[in-house]
Every structure is written in structure tokens, then in C-alpha cells.
Amino acid sequence: MELRGVVVVSVLVLCWSSVLEAQLQVGFYKNTCPQAESIIASEVRRALASYIGLAAGLVRMHFHDCFVRGCDGSVLIDSTSNNTAEKDSFINNPSLRGFEIIDNAKTRLEAVCQGVVSCADILALAARDSVVMTGGVMYQVPAGRRDGRVSLVSEVLANLPGPTFDVDQLTQSFASKGLTQDEMVTLSGAHTIGRSHCPAFSSRLVDFNSTDGQDPSLDAAYASQLKQQCPQGSNDTSLVVFMDPRSPYTLDTAYYANILQNRGLFASDQALATDGTTEDLVKQNAAAGGGIAWKRKFAAAMVRMGQIDVLTGSNGEIRSRCRVIN
């Protein structure tokens, strides 16, 4: 009897999840705001023309939004005197960039389609445009998300996978959001663009453990390069390094080749080579001819990630300003 109850509950959960996904639709704004996607794309294009590095910021922002409270735009909300919001977590600040792009798109959208396009959808679409503009494949984004009204700094650390996670921790983190291990390895490839502040990986360079000064899984020449870029004892919080020095502004499979050469920047990156299953996925992605197979997988995984715990229908709201709840 208990087993039957578990089966019934599981079926109900799966059905409800399917209902939520069904409420997201490609072309959701076709009738209510037909210019929506083109307006968002033009703002992303304008910003990236000035600095292509912002593409990584938007992709990361979408990821950090979806993993905390679902894809509800809560990462966009500003802190107030009574509440410290997600964006001001030490994990998100100063690593997240591109908030002004979302603001600019929202301002233009409100001028032509007031109260129609959610901030959560703007972010999901802007992330897609960033993928495309850095060499990824074009993919359709199901829309119809609504905006959340809660953003708590206390929820960030518990929900985002950390740069020191091992394979089991990474797998569990993604599984808790409904994503597979294959999707975890695929989405980790986003680290092929963008940059990182030194504290996220500096523990790998000095005093790694009681027996090793630096992480033995880190290529010695690469470690030496990182030590020059992130000097021990430096108080300069603005120091950053590219996560993929080969092609930091291009979405490609160099990330996986780096891992196979012990040049994964984060411990969590290099950890993918320590497990037989994930190592095989890394090798497959690294060997993908021209990277097109992985780019298609990445696009599909981004769509799946964009459906995590979405608010639809009458849930949530459509913020008039993305930084402030109505």
C-alpha cells in the first residue's frame, strides 16, 4: 500500500511538472508583444558590441537565477534596507554582470507592451542571445515565465554548486533541479567563456592540503601562470583570469580539452575527469567535430534548465522594473 502511494505521488509530481512546462510556449509573445524577442536581442547585441565578455555574465546570471527559487528573475531584485537579495551574495557579487542590459530591454518593452513581458523571460532570452552571439547554435526559448517576489541572500549558497564540488556533489546539485549528469557536464561547458575572480580557485595554488602546496591535479605550467595572475597575498579584489584562456569569448569545446590536459580552472571543473562516466562525457564533448554536436546538446540543456520551478499562469507577477517587486 505504501509503495502504491509513492507511485501515485510520483506520477502526480511528474504530471504537475509537465503542466508547468506545457505552460511555457515558444512564441509566447507572438500576439501580445510581437517585438519582444527582437528588442531583447538588439539590446544584447548593442551591449556585446561594446564588450563581448558580458555574454558570459548573462549566461551565468540565468544559471544562478534558475538554481535559486527557479527561473523567476529573483536574481535581478535589488537589496533593500530590510532585505539582502540574491545578487549581493558573495557568490554573485561581483561575479554577475549585465544587469543594465536587462534593465534597458525592460524599459523598451514597457514602452511598447506595458506589463506584458516578464523579467524572467527577458533574462532567459538574453542568455540565449548571448550563446548565439558567442558562437553557439540558435535555439527556441519557451516563454511565459512570471516574476517572483522574493529574493533572499540566505538561499544562494545552499542552491548553487560550488567551485570546489566533487562529481558526486555536482551530480546531486543538478539532480535536485531535475537535471541529469550528462546535462551537468554539458552545462559546465559554459565555463568556456567568461572570467573568474581569483578567490574562487586560489586554494588550489597554495596550501592545498597538508601534503601538497598546490593541487596535484593541476598542470604545473598552468598553475605557474595562475600564480602570476593571482599573486599570493594580493588584496586586489578586481583580479580576474579567463576560465578558458584558449578562446575566452567563444562558446566551443576547448573547455573539455583543457580538462583532459589538467587545465580545468576550478576544482569542480577538473573533478569531471575523476569519474569514469563524466570523464567519458568530457572526452566525447572534446572530440565533437567542430563542436556542433556539443553546441546542440548545450542548447537543449539550456532549454531544460530554463524550465526549473517556473512561475506561470496567475502565479508571481510581471514586474514593471526588474530590480524592484511591484
Side-chain angles (χ1 to χ4, degrees), residues 44 47 50 84-86 96 145 154 156 166 174-176 222 300-301 319:
V44 174
S50 297
T84 304
E86 294 170 27
L96 295 189
R145 300 166 189 79
S154 59
V156 175
D166 60 25
F174 279 71
S176 71
Y222 185 43
R319 280 182 230 136

Side-chain angles (χ1 to χ4, degrees), residues 49-106:
S50 297
Y51 179 48
I52 190 64
L54 288 172
L58 289 171
V59 173
R60 183 181 298 183
M61 192 188 301
H62 182 41
F63 174 83
H64 285 211
D65 184 41
C66 291
F67 265 59
V68 183
R69 288 192 162 265
C71 311
D72 66 347
S74 56
V75 74
L76 303 170
I77 297 173
D78 281 347
S79 296
T80 66
S81 59
N82 299 319
N83 178 66
T84 304
E86 294 170 27
K87 64 166 53 173
D88 287 321
S89 161
F90 73 91
I91 297 174
N92 288 333
N93 186 4
S95 71
L96 295 189
R97 301 171 292 156
F99 291 103
E100 67 285 351
I101 302 172
I102 306 301
D103 292 337
N104 292 341
K106 181 61 172 176

Side-chain angles (χ1 to χ4, degrees), residues 108-186:
R108 288 182 59 188
L109 288 166
E110 286 296 297
V112 295
C113 311
Q114 187 174 7
V116 173
V117 183
S118 71
C119 299
D121 275 345
I122 294 173
L123 179 52
L125 289 161
R128 184 273 308 276
D129 296 333
S130 296
V131 168
V132 173
M133 293 177 198
T134 51
V137 297
M138 178 65 179
Y139 60 94
Q140 298 298 316
V141 175
R145 300 166 189 79
R146 288 173 65 85
D147 298 321
R149 294 176 52 84
V150 176
S151 183
L152 303 172
V153 68
S154 59
E155 296 182 342
V156 175
L157 185 60
N159 283 282
L160 288 177
T164 62
F165 273 21
D166 60 25
V167 170
D168 287 341
Q169 291 172 309
L170 288 169
T171 301
Q172 291 166 11
S173 176
F174 279 71
S176 71
K177 309 301 178 184
L179 298 171
T180 67
Q181 189 177 66
D182 190 353
E183 288 169 328
M184 178 269 287
V185 175
T186 300

